[in-house]
Amino acid sequence: ETVDDMFARLQEPGVNSEAVEKQIWEQWRKSGSASMDLLLQRGTAALEAQDFDAAIGFLSALVDHAPDFAEGYNARATAFYSAGLLGPSLADIRQTLSLNPRHFGAMTGLALILQDTGHPEDALEVWHEVQRLTPHNAAVNEAVESLDKEIGGEAL
């Protein structure tokens, strides 16, 4: 099954959105290189351990050696965000989305940064795009509903 097939399944009523999204993430995490996959694993492990400097180091090595691997940029964007470095995080989100325009994880990060920095209308617009890709994701639907109420229910 291709990623395109998985995205099509996300649109089907009654789909287990969480399971299909997990399958998409599994595909996205495959770089095609064992050494690049190892850098991603080590960077992700460091991020989970909240060792943001180490995570950024592993993931910077990954994007240096695999500049066309969108998940490397996305993971590093998460590490930068976790370290409080919003500018570099936004730059990596931008690169992720240029390589993979349907990367709902990167879009989610962008929406959160926009919310954090006082741009709720822009965040809602991004959340709507995530919702279009993953219409049955309960957390995304809750985020859209909550933010819509927060900004007064104005349609974009």
Side-chain angles (χ1 to χ4, degrees):
E1 185 177 36
T2 68
V3 171
D4 287 340
D5 294 334
M6 293 176 213
F7 269 102
R9 274 199 301 138
L10 284 176
Q11 304 301 313
E12 296 172 3
V15 68
N16 180 342
S17 186
E18 188 176 315
V20 177
E21 289 173 35
K22 183 179 178 190
Q23 290 175 317
I24 291 170
W25 278 103
E26 288 170 4
Q27 291 302 309
W28 284 347
R29 288 188 181 113
K30 294 178 183 176
S31 70
S33 162
S35 56
M36 296 305 106
D37 289 349
L38 182 60
L39 284 171
L40 180 60
Q41 290 169 5
R42 290 205 172 145
T44 302
L47 185 58
E48 289 170 4
Q50 298 188 353
D51 186 348
F52 305 129
D53 289 339
I56 291 166
F58 284 121
L59 298 168
S60 292
L62 173 57
V63 301
D64 287 348
H65 289 90
D68 295 328
F69 182 44
E71 194 52 36
Y73 291 99
N74 182 63
R76 191 173 69 171
T78 301
F80 281 138
Y81 178 82
S82 298
L85 301 169
L86 299 187
S89 180
L90 284 169
D92 277 357
I93 289 170
R94 191 173 303 116
Q95 186 63 27
T96 302
L97 292 172
S98 76
L99 293 167
N100 181 355
R102 295 186 297 188
H103 200 298
F104 50 79
M107 289 180 207
T108 297
L110 176 58
L112 292 171
I113 289 172
L114 289 167
Q115 283 180 246
D116 289 350
T117 58
H119 298 92
E121 293 86 1
D122 294 331
L124 185 59
E125 189 175 325
V126 176
W127 278 121
H128 278 297
E129 182 61 18
V130 176
Q131 189 178 47
R132 186 184 67 75
L133 293 168
T134 62
H136 306 291
N137 181 309
V140 171
N141 292 332
E142 288 172 22
V144 167
E145 185 178 325
S146 173
L147 193 53
D148 193 41
K149 286 180 184 174
E150 180 185 315
I151 62 175
E154 297 173 23
L156 293 176

